[in-house]
Amino acid sequence: TRAWASDYCNRPPPAAELRELAGRVRGELLKDDRVGSLVVVLSPTPTGSAFDLRLSAVPVDPRLGPFDLTLAVTSASIVIEAIAEAA
């Protein structure tokens, strides 16, 4: 949701805050019983005005393969940049 995004955009966030946010995102997504494992990485832009949120997920269902998802997050929007089968 964009409400939390505005707290982290438009300023260079300290690394500790980004780690905390990555942990919060991971914790929320792991509440979904379809998710077996998940890695969350946040990468801010140099100015701190936005960041990329990269997820690498492995579903519980063995018929579904692992996938990577990259979102571009600004204070105004969250956009899917890429989704692909994990290598």
Side-chain angles (χ1 to χ4, degrees):
T1 77
R2 289 188 309 203
W4 60 263
S6 63
D7 292 341
Y8 295 91
C9 292
N10 298 320
R11 64 180 175 85
E17 283 187 27
L18 289 179
R19 284 191 303 275
E20 176 189 350
L21 178 58
R24 287 175 48 203
V25 169
R26 184 176 186 278
E28 285 299 313
L29 293 174
L30 285 174
K31 290 178 183 178
D32 187 326
D33 60 359
R34 297 171 294 177
V35 178
S37 66
L38 181 69
V39 175
V40 177
V41 177
L42 292 170
S43 301
T45 60
T47 63
S49 62
F51 57 87
D52 285 340
L53 173 60
R54 291 186 308 251
L55 309 171
S56 293
V58 177
V60 170
D61 187 339
R63 296 172 296 171
L64 303 174
F67 64 92
D68 297 323
L69 172 67
T70 302
L71 305 170
V73 180
T74 70
S75 60
S77 67
I78 300 173
V79 177
I80 296 175
E81 283 195 337
I83 187 167
E85 187 175 348

